[in-house]
Amino acid sequence: MAVSATLRSTARSVWKPALLAPRSVQTLTDVSRRNVTSQQPTIPPPAKYGGRHTVTMIPGDGIGPELMLHVKEIFRHACVPVDFEEVLVSSEASDRDLQNAIMAIRRNRVALKGNLETNHNLPPTHKSRNNILRTTLDLFANVIHCKSLPGVATRHRDIDILMVRENTEGEYSSLEHESVSGVVESLKIITKTKSLRIAEYAFQLAKEAGRKKVTAVHKANIMKLGDGLFLQCCKEVSASYPGITFDSMIVDNTTMQLVSRPQQFDVMVMPNLYGNIVNNVCAGLVGGPGLVPGANYGRDYAVFETATRNTGKSIASKNIANPTAMLLASCMMLDHLKLHSYASVIRKAVLASLDDSKTHTPDIGGQGTTSEAVQSILKQIRGSAINLAQSEAFDPLGFSPNSPE
């Protein structure tokens, strides 16, 4: 059933992700076909006095704290008009600490987040802190952009895939119980409302990004009701986008096709668990978890982090973590805040630094350190300082003629 013009006119707006290549940020349409109510559009937080923005920073576990220090260092050198409200939350944080973090995100509406470890040895009553953040803030769309990067040797080249993962239900609903001793039931929740919402997001993103094809990933041949509903919702939404080719693929075949011929994919949309698996596969295809940024979008809030959500606990404090993914995530955040000039300068510096193999960290086959990689990026930023200073959006004191009042 096509979406009517009336539904589209009352649709809620969320922000589309900024991709690796600098592009203008435009609004997306999010349609819920059953309960569409008039909502205020999501906009970046208003800049405070002097054109500065406040962003919640959650360093997280593992390599998160050290990477956040480098983000702040690079922002300082690029004179980015952002102030961070740092909230310390770890995998062992109390419920009170977690609620403080959620309150800070609600206050600032934007966050940059390190990964929080979820220990599978903890009792069943312990809920994933990452999952609580996503569901409480209704960050329904997890978006990552897997793109082949310059200077990084990989088996496949010319990869450019946008992945859209439903972020709030599916296997991550945390509904498990032991029926009788030795028999555990784990519920996978798929709803029509949320399936339509994520499908609409994916198709509208494809349209705004100039993409030609959307692939829905599913297992409807086995889970005929749950994944069957998700697939049907994707088909229903696709009817409203005749200019975009729609196809579907079973998840196990998807992983094989990704590692053999990833160039066939353009935009992919999938339920929660499949999205987690496919995101990690795609990150591996372009060089690993240290290279790919990610974002979580909702109607009111946006949280930016690395795409694969692993903490890097084994390499913490060794000065060998790759800062690329976190820095590119911070660029996505800057684009979300409409600080495009700063995002462009930092993104170009990060990508240009990858051309120097001497600063490659061990995860991409080099022997460089985190500090050396960051210094290379800072050198690139200093080299473009003249161009940045000439930009109308730049002011070393943080004042900008384009800043919202």
Side-chain angles (χ1 to χ4, degrees), residues 140-142 163-167 172 198 270 272 275-276 309:
F140 67 88
N142 173 232
M163 276 160 291
V164 181
R165 166 190 176 188
E166 206 294 318
N167 223 9
Y172 289 70
I198 198 66
M270 58 213 92
N272 211 333
N276 191 12
R309 298 173 176 170

Side-chain angles (χ1 to χ4, degrees), residues 170-306:
E171 296 84 354
Y172 289 70
S173 301
S174 301
L175 296 174
E176 295 183 305
H177 60 272
E178 189 172 25
S179 303
V180 296
S181 180
V183 179
V184 173
E185 292 180 310
S186 181
L187 302 182
K188 170 179 176 176
I189 308 299
I190 298 291
T191 63
K192 184 174 184 179
T193 297
K194 291 189 175 182
S195 296
L196 289 171
R197 180 172 69 169
I198 198 66
E200 182 71 35
Y201 189 97
F203 274 92
Q204 189 66 17
L205 174 60
K207 179 181 178 181
E208 297 291 345
R211 300 298 181 118
K212 302 301 181 183
K213 183 173 74 170
V214 173
T215 302
V217 180
H218 65 94
K219 191 66 175 173
N221 59 324
I222 301 299
M223 287 169 275
K224 299 183 186 300
L225 292 178
D227 281 25
L229 174 61
F230 179 83
L231 182 57
Q232 180 57 42
C233 289
C234 292
K235 290 179 179 178
E236 182 178 327
V237 172
S238 71
S240 300
Y241 295 86
I244 298 175
T245 302
F246 172 71
D247 67 356
S248 61
M249 190 175 290
I250 295 173
V251 62
D252 38 333
N253 184 36
T254 301
T255 57
M256 181 185 70
Q257 294 295 328
L258 277 169
V259 299
S260 58
R261 194 165 62 89
Q263 296 84 1
Q264 67 184 286
F265 295 102
D266 195 0
V267 177
M268 305 174 75
V269 59
M270 58 213 92
N272 211 333
L273 179 61
Y274 308 154
N276 191 12
I277 296 168
V278 171
N279 284 357
N280 279 265
V281 171
C282 287
L285 289 174
V286 297
L291 296 173
V292 187
N296 305 281
Y297 295 96
R299 185 177 68 86
D300 298 311
Y301 313 106
V303 175
F304 300 87
E305 59 186 351
T306 58

Side-chain angles (χ1 to χ4, degrees), residues 116-176:
L116 302 174
E117 183 183 14
T118 302
N119 189 341
H120 66 276
N121 293 317
L122 293 174
T125 54
H126 180 84
K127 306 299 182 184
S128 163
R129 281 9 192 175
N130 299 294
N131 199 30
I132 291 173
L133 278 173
R134 296 195 293 268
T135 54
T136 302
L137 298 171
D138 195 27
L139 302 170
F140 67 88
N142 173 232
V143 182
I144 78 169
H145 184 198
C146 272
K147 183 178 174 66
S148 298
L149 298 179
V152 180
T154 57
R155 177 171 182 151
H156 296 283
R157 299 300 302 170
D158 302 320
I159 298 173
D160 188 1
I161 308 172
L162 276 173
M163 276 160 291
V164 181
R165 166 190 176 188
E166 206 294 318
N167 223 9
T168 60
E169 59 176 10
E171 296 84 354
Y172 289 70
S173 301
S174 301
L175 296 174
E176 295 183 305

